[in-house]
Amino acid sequence: MEMERMELDIENKKEQEDRQAEGCRICPRECGVLREDGKRGYCGVDAKIRLSRAALHMWEEPCISGEQGSGAVFFAGCPMHCVYCQNYEIAGGRGKEVSLERLTEIFLELQGKGANNINLVTPTHYSPAILQAVKAARERGLTVPVVYNCSGYEAVDTLRKLEGIVDIYLTDYKYPDAEGAEKYSHAPDYPEVAMAALEEMVRQQPEAVFDETGLMKKGVIVRHLLLPGRVKAGKEVVRRVYEKFGNQVYLSLMNQYTPFEQVGKRYPELARRVTDREYGKLLTYAMDLGVEHGFFQEGDTAEESFIPAFDYEGV
């Protein structure tokens, strides 16, 4: 065991040196910024781990939150910077700095509080540190599944390094069109990048596994947040994902888009909520297509109360 740990430390040190030499290439932005030198990448953060919250979270899909809650760890910064981001407070990089050791302890503390899983929210740009922290936590008794909760804008090479670490991929598929991806997330390559990433996720977790209470232990869930006026785009997302993977993945179709005032000023088409009619059309399309494994939202979910307080709880 000691020899294995030494070899792992040498490997991690070499990988860190390689990253320092070429700059950050963790996400598809490939900004090349020397984050280890304290410079901030496109994601808005340097290489230091920054968190805004680590607590039990009840607002994920039922098979993730369950009755006790998901152990959600909210990371600061984001490679996407969507104009309508509900977590805009922290997407820019606001968070409390923690050590790798502290991140490991947080995972174990959440398990001790009864978390159904460790839910890594916006983890992409911290994936090398997360990989080390999860391995260390498992050596110290972490047994609950690890959820990689991301935007879908992922580099395949980065995902490959997470094989054996991530049990559940909870990923977005935001846009089927370069125009929408460019306008709202400044990422015209999103449709192709997200599909390639999804293929890798499914390769790693090809079959959904649940326990006797209905909690997911392994698998892939693909989320799509319906935006106002974009039912056609939403249908295209459903079609692409279903035709590619069938019922191998679970589709989560969401109507919880929250129109913040500052967004509506620049993008008037996003200044309203999704209507029941719009959402109904998307759900009907999915059912008519044959989607059997999925989740939908009931009632008025477009409320700011669904956004947690980023007050460093548990950090």
Side-chain angles (χ1 to χ4, degrees):
M1 179 64 75
E2 189 61 35
M3 181 63 72
E4 290 178 2
R5 186 176 288 109
M6 286 179 62
E7 290 175 354
L8 180 61
D9 289 342
I10 292 171
E11 181 181 333
N12 290 335
K13 184 177 181 180
K14 184 180 185 303
E15 184 177 339
Q16 185 179 42
E17 289 173 349
D18 290 343
R19 290 201 307 273
Q20 286 178 323
E22 67 176 14
C24 190
R25 297 287 188 274
I26 293 173
C27 87
R29 301 287 186 187
E30 295 191 339
C31 64
V33 170
L34 298 174
R35 293 172 59 208
E36 284 80 3
D37 290 347
K39 297 180 175 62
R40 293 175 179 257
Y42 191 97
C43 56
V45 294
D46 58 19
K48 295 176 181 176
I49 306 167
R50 289 184 170 85
L51 307 179
S52 62
R53 181 181 174 87
L56 297 179
H57 190 70
M58 300 303 300
W59 303 331
E60 308 289 25
E61 284 74 8
C63 65
I64 301 295
S65 290
E67 296 293 329
Q68 295 173 277
S70 177
V73 181
F74 288 86
F75 291 88
C78 179
M80 285 292 285
H81 297 298
C82 304
V83 300
Y84 50 83
C85 178
Q86 67 173 10
N87 294 347
Y88 65 90
E89 287 183 57
I90 64 173
R94 184 176 70 83
K96 181 179 178 181
E97 182 183 336
V98 300
S99 66
L100 190 63
E101 171 64 22
R102 177 59 190 145
L103 183 60
T104 301
E105 291 173 352
I106 287 171
F107 294 163
L108 293 167
E109 288 170 5
L110 287 169
Q111 177 174 262
K113 293 176 181 177
N116 294 316
N117 43 61
I118 302 301
N119 183 359
L120 309 169
V121 185
T122 322
T124 309
H125 41 300
Y126 296 113
S127 56
I130 287 170
L131 189 152
Q132 294 181 62
V134 171
K135 286 182 177 179
R138 283 178 173 163
E139 287 182 359
R140 292 164 56 180
L142 184 71
T143 58
V144 296
V146 171
V147 180
Y148 194 82
N149 186 341
C150 67
S151 68
Y153 197 59
E154 301 286 325
V156 171
D157 286 345
T158 297
L159 293 174
R160 285 175 180 156
K161 294 174 183 176
L162 297 171
E163 186 168 9
I165 296 296
V166 173
D167 301 291
I168 299 167
Y169 283 101
L170 180 56
T171 182
D172 292 339
Y173 199 108
K174 296 176 181 290
Y175 313 103
D177 58 316
E179 295 77 15
E182 168 64 25
K183 185 174 185 179
Y184 300 128
S185 296
H186 314 294
D189 60 344
Y190 181 93
E192 304 81 43
V193 169
M195 181 56 74
L198 183 54
E199 289 175 350
E200 173 61 20
M201 295 173 189
V202 174
R203 184 193 70 78
Q204 291 182 25
Q205 299 295 348
E207 182 180 0
V209 177
F210 299 85
D211 69 10
E212 64 280 0
T213 68
L215 290 173
M216 181 175 274
K217 296 299 183 181
K218 292 183 179 294
V220 178
I221 299 175
V222 181
R223 286 173 164 174
H224 179 68
L225 174 66
L226 182 62
L227 296 176
R230 285 183 59 84
V231 174
K232 183 178 179 180
K235 289 180 178 179
E236 180 61 14
V237 166
V238 171
R239 186 192 69 79
R240 288 188 186 185
V241 173
Y242 183 72
E243 288 188 357
K244 183 74 174 180
F245 303 104
N247 288 307
Q248 195 173 9
V249 304
Y250 278 68
L251 272 167
S252 181
L253 304 177
M254 304 185 297
N255 68 346
Q256 67 185 47
Y257 170 72
T258 302
F260 295 119
E261 182 179 354
Q262 64 269 28
V263 176
K265 289 179 180 179
R266 292 187 59 192
Y267 303 90
E269 71 274 19
L270 298 181
R272 65 173 178 85
R273 298 178 180 179
V274 170
T275 66
D276 291 343
R277 179 178 174 81
E278 287 175 316
Y279 188 53
K281 285 183 177 180
L282 181 60
L283 294 183
T284 298
Y285 178 80
M287 289 185 286
D288 289 346
L289 199 62
V291 175
E292 297 176 357
H293 294 168
F295 304 94
F296 66 93
Q297 294 180 315
E298 294 180 302
D300 190 1
T301 58
E303 297 288 347
E304 290 189 39
S305 60
F306 277 75
I307 302 170
F310 299 119
D311 53 5
Y312 307 127
E313 178 183 349
V315 176

